[in-house]
Amino acid sequence: MRTAYLFIFSDATGGREAIRAWANSEPLVLHWRYDLPHSFYIVSEATADELCKSFINFNGKKGRFLIVEASDN
């Protein structure tokens, strides 16, 4: 099932370019876009935990970030 997530990040992660590079290279990310500073919208069939682990594998433990499911609640 496809789920929408909000990915919020600090500049210490490498910024927008680092997140974009990860999103473009990660097969778990089906679609992404950004409209707000320090935030990406991500669509995936993976869980937030799987996406988090994938980003840590890609980027190491640089900076802080949060991946939360966007729900109708």
Side-chain angles (χ1 to χ4, degrees):
M1 173 196 239
R2 290 184 179 191
T3 305
Y5 296 98
L6 180 61
F7 187 122
I8 305 165
F9 58 93
S10 70
D11 285 332
T13 60
R16 182 182 288 173
E17 294 305 317
I19 309 303
R20 186 184 349 207
W22 168 75
N24 282 332
S25 67
E26 177 51 66
L28 295 175
V29 176
L30 303 176
H31 303 287
W32 63 266
R33 69 181 275 175
Y34 58 86
D35 295 322
L36 301 170
H38 297 97
S39 302
F40 271 71
Y41 305 108
I42 293 175
V43 175
S44 178
E45 292 180 351
T47 66
D49 186 54
E50 291 169 328
L51 293 170
C52 177
K53 288 176 182 173
S54 168
F55 185 69
I56 290 171
N57 285 336
F58 177 84
N59 204 45
K61 293 190 176 186
K62 296 186 289 186
R64 295 182 182 191
F65 67 94
L66 175 67
I67 301 175
V68 297
E69 183 177 344
S71 70
D72 59 354
N73 184 6

